[in-house]
């Protein structure tokens, strides 16, 4: 019976260890390799000249665990991502939806970069 109890304890410990590893793996947040890279964003700005909008371009990097201008990957469920940014002294969470339209076009939807949750 002592041997049977030892096997139970070993089995419980193994299940606990496996559960711990699985829960840690779920909390890892990363962007798939197809999303990673350098992208150019285009924005239309109002100009002083009537009917002549100004177009500005900026580069956005998508790394394996962050989009540096917006924050680090806090949680990802499919194409929905919560980025966390704590560079401004307070912790800011922003929600994004990513859609890969082609191999070089990544569409990013958000309610606004000025909103923090």
């Amino acid at each position: 019976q002592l041997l049977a109890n030892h096997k139970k304890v070993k089995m419980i410990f193994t299940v606990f260890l496996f559960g711990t590893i699985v829960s840690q793996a779920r909390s890892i947040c990363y962007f798939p390799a197809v999303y990673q890279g350098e992208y150019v964003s285009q924005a239309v700005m109002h100009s002083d000249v009537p009917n002549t909008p100004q177009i500005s371009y900026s580069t956005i990097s998508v790394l394996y665990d962050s989009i540096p201008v917006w924050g680090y990957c806090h949680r990802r469920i499919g194409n929905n991502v919560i980025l966390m940014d704590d560079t401004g002294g307070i912790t800011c969470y922003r929600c994004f939806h990513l859609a890969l339209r082609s191999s070089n076009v990544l569409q990013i939807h958000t309610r606004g970069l000025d909103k923090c949750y």
Side-chain angles (χ1 to χ4, degrees):
Q1 184 169 16
L2 183 59
L3 183 59
N5 285 340
H6 177 70
K7 285 182 180 180
K8 278 185 186 179
V9 170
K10 187 175 180 181
M11 189 167 87
I12 290 171
F13 178 74
T14 304
V15 169
F16 174 77
L17 184 60
F18 178 75
T20 303
I21 291 169
V22 168
S23 68
Q24 287 176 353
R26 284 188 205 155
S27 66
I28 296 172
C29 187
Y30 64 93
F31 293 105
V34 294
Y35 289 175
Q36 297 173 33
E38 295 283 321
Y39 296 90
V40 175
S41 174
Q42 178 181 350
V44 178
M45 312 295 278
H46 296 288
S47 73
D48 295 336
V49 181
N51 298 325
T52 310
Q54 289 183 340
I55 299 174
S56 68
Y57 296 93
S58 60
T59 302
I60 297 173
S61 299
V62 178
L63 306 178
Y64 77 97
D65 67 343
S66 68
I67 302 175
V69 294
W70 296 325
Y72 286 89
C73 190
H74 176 70
R75 180 104 164 112
R76 182 176 69 86
I77 301 172
N79 292 341
N80 299 311
V81 180
I82 299 172
L83 295 180
M84 180 184 74
D85 181 17
D86 57 3
T87 57
I90 60 168
T91 302
C92 176
Y93 296 94
R94 293 185 182 101
C95 303
F96 295 87
H97 176 80
L98 306 177
L100 191 63
R101 299 297 179 201
S102 71
S103 62
N104 60 352
V105 177
L106 179 63
Q107 190 172 24
I108 300 175
H109 302 271
T110 186
R111 289 202 180 257
L113 296 173
D114 56 340
K115 293 188 179 193
C116 288
Y117 302 96

